Amino acid sequence: MSDIAQELSRRFNKQIVVMDEELASRRYFAIFTNNESLEDVLNSMCTDGRMAYNESNGIIFLQPN
């Protein structure tokens, strides 16, 4: 997850912080090819119910659910 957060941060020019070490080490695999928005990507990653995100002051925080 930490690698994905870094890549999304670069791609969308948005600061993304993973708030939990276990979540940071969790593996996610996905391919996005339709110019999805950051919100689309994050919502897709949250569908398993194990992660949630919120945004505060322009920073996105990822946390376990």
Side-chain angles (χ1 to χ4, degrees), residues 20-64:
D20 180 77
E21 188 63 36
E22 183 180 328
L23 178 59
S25 64
R26 193 174 294 159
R27 291 182 176 261
Y28 283 86
F29 298 95
I31 297 173
F32 295 95
T33 59
N34 295 320
N35 295 321
E36 290 86 358
S37 68
L38 178 57
E39 184 177 1
D40 291 337
V41 173
L42 293 172
N43 285 332
S44 292
M45 291 171 39
C46 291
T47 59
D48 69 357
R50 296 172 56 194
M51 182 179 82
Y53 75 93
N54 63 47
E55 185 171 352
S56 178
N57 297 322
I59 302 171
I60 295 175
F61 297 93
L62 305 177
Q63 59 219 8

